[in-house]
């Protein structure tokens, strides 16, 4: 198995990274061996894979473009295919819709969602659509002064995407039509609690549930998701923090077990992964426990495709820490494997 790691490289983001790093994982031993560093890239802070082609895409924190990389099948090494402007600033998240014809980018700082066509070889075409997000801003005096879309999460069929907006305290629902236009869902958005700051979203693999992680108030909301209309109905909001914790904290990433039995979320400040058990019929959550990430500021957590390992990318301690997943209990146990890499913020597995 191969792992692709992106992160922050620029001084204005306190970046210590050097590009996109490629690793080969020995799944029996759990060790990572370095394959390649593709440098000369500024803040390749979010990565996503093409659904069918051997192609990797990157969004660039504080940047104005998206990049496509070809993956060499035998070695996993990368080469740049092309770059395309997203007509916005600070692309923080990318998603590929179900037909593999369009890439969707959330431009955090400019409050827009962009659509770029994907060519036959995986290269990116010129901008097809650009949608500004509008609404009433939240009450936070510095974090909610304008629209801030922070994710593009497609449902398991790749039909609808959720775009949580941290600045507007809302989760927007879109689908991409045949021409590459963003079409609002039957219910175009759903409001969060004031000041929650919706950040990232994920879907249950088999049940009609979506989960949205709220950055500013350290909560996670369970929604019923209508796969035909895209409508969201809130069912529960629960804290990501343990009882008695009173320090400063923001949430960062959500990961859902392939079994659908557990949901994981990362805390920055408490520097932990919270583990939730999923109630099968309602999709609601109950805390199982909290596991320290053994580093500072876990901006990203991710499960390997089998759900056997969870990796925490500690942005401010320049480490990726490996945890073995108990797939019956959901609990995490550190394996002792730690990968040193500058300012990691995203990992994808192939």
């Amino acid at each position: 198995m191969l792992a692709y790691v992106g992160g922050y490289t620029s001084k204005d983001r306190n970046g210590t990274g050097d590009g996109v790093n490629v690793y080969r994982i020995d799944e029996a031993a759990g060790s990572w061996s370095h394959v390649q560093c593709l440098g000369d890239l500024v803040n390749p802070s979010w990565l996503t894979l093409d659904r069918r082609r051997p192609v990797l895409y990157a969004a660039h924190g504080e940047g104005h473009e998206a990049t496509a990389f070809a993956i060499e099948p035998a070695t996993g090494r990368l080469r740049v295919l092309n770059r395309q402007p997203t007509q916005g600033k600070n692309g923080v998240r990318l998603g590929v819709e179900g037909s593999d014809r369009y890439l969707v980018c959330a431009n955090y700082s400019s409050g827009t969602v962009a659509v770029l066509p994907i060519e036959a070889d995986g290269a990116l075409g010129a901008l097809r659509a650009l949608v500004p997000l509008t609404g009433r801003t939240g009450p936070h005096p510095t974090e909610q002064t304008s629209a801030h879309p922070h994710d593009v999460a497609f449902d398991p069929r790749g039909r609808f995407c959720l775009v949580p907006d941290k600045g507007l305290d809302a989760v927007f629902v879109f689908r991409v039509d045949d021409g590459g236009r963003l079409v609002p869902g039957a219910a175009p958005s759903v409001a969060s609690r004031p000041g929650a700051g919706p950040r990232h979203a994920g879907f249950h693999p088999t049940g009609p549930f979506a989960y949205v992680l709220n950055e500013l108030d350290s909560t996670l909301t369970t929604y019923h998701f209508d796969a035909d209309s895209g409508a969201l109905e809130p069912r529960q909001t629960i804290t990501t923090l343990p009882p008695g914790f009173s320090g400063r904290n923001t949430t960062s990433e959500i990961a859902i077990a392939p079994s659908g039995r557990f949901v994981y979320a990362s805390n920055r400040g408490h520097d932990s992964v919270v583990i939730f058990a999923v109630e099968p019929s309602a999709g609601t959550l109950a805390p199982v426990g909290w596991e320290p990430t053994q580093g500072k500021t876990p901006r990203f957590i991710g499960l390997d495709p089998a759900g056997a390992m969870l990796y925490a990318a500690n942005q401010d301690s320049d480490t990726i820490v490996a945890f073995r997943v108990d797939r019956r209990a959901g609990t995490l146990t550190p394996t002792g494997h730690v990968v040193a890499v500058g300012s990691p913020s995203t990992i994808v597995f192939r």
Side-chain angles (χ1 to χ4, degrees), residues 187-202:
S189 67
V190 61
S192 70
R193 299 197 308 196
R199 176 182 172 93
H200 288 164

Side-chain angles (χ1 to χ4, degrees), residues 217-236:
D217 70 355
S218 298
T219 62
L220 198 157
T221 301
T222 300
Y223 293 90
H224 180 271
F225 171 70
D226 187 319
D228 294 321
S229 69
L232 295 171
E233 179 188 344
R235 292 285 179 84
Q236 175 198 38

Side-chain angles (χ1 to χ4, degrees), residues 227-303:
D228 294 321
S229 69
L232 295 171
E233 179 188 344
R235 292 285 179 84
Q236 175 198 38
T237 296
I238 189 170
T239 182
T240 65
L241 294 168
F245 179 78
S246 59
R248 297 186 65 179
N249 188 78
T250 57
T251 62
S252 50
E253 188 57 88
I254 186 170
I256 300 168
S259 66
R261 296 181 59 195
F262 302 99
V263 173
Y264 302 87
S266 52
N267 290 301
R268 297 175 294 184
H270 191 249
D271 291 339
S272 66
V273 178
V274 57
I275 306 148
F276 293 109
V278 177
E279 198 287 315
S281 60
T284 52
L285 306 177
V288 171
W290 288 261
E291 183 67 34
T293 63
Q294 302 190 12
K296 187 177 180 182
T297 320
R299 187 179 182 91
F300 178 85
I301 58 170
L303 293 159

Side-chain angles (χ1 to χ4, degrees), residues 120-238:
D121 64 351
L124 295 171
L127 183 80
R128 183 64 57 85
L130 187 68
V131 175
L133 300 186
T134 59
R136 179 178 294 181
T137 56
H140 196 286
T142 59
E143 296 290 331
Q144 295 186 306
T145 58
S146 65
H148 289 314
H150 213 308
D151 198 3
V152 177
F154 277 94
D155 72 8
R157 294 193 298 176
R159 185 181 179 203
F160 290 101
C161 67
L162 304 185
V163 180
D165 192 298
K166 175 179 155 184
L168 302 182
D169 278 335
V171 181
F172 292 84
V173 182
F174 294 101
R175 62 180 178 85
V176 183
D177 71 10
D178 289 341
R181 293 175 293 271
L182 282 173
V183 179
S189 67
V190 61
S192 70
R193 299 197 308 196
R199 176 182 172 93
H200 288 164
F203 286 91
H204 193 280
T206 56
F209 312 119
Y211 300 95
V212 175
L213 187 62
N214 302 304
E215 177 179 334
L216 299 180
D217 70 355
S218 298
T219 62
L220 198 157
T221 301
T222 300
Y223 293 90
H224 180 271
F225 171 70
D226 187 319
D228 294 321
S229 69
L232 295 171
E233 179 188 344
R235 292 285 179 84
Q236 175 198 38
T237 296
I238 189 170

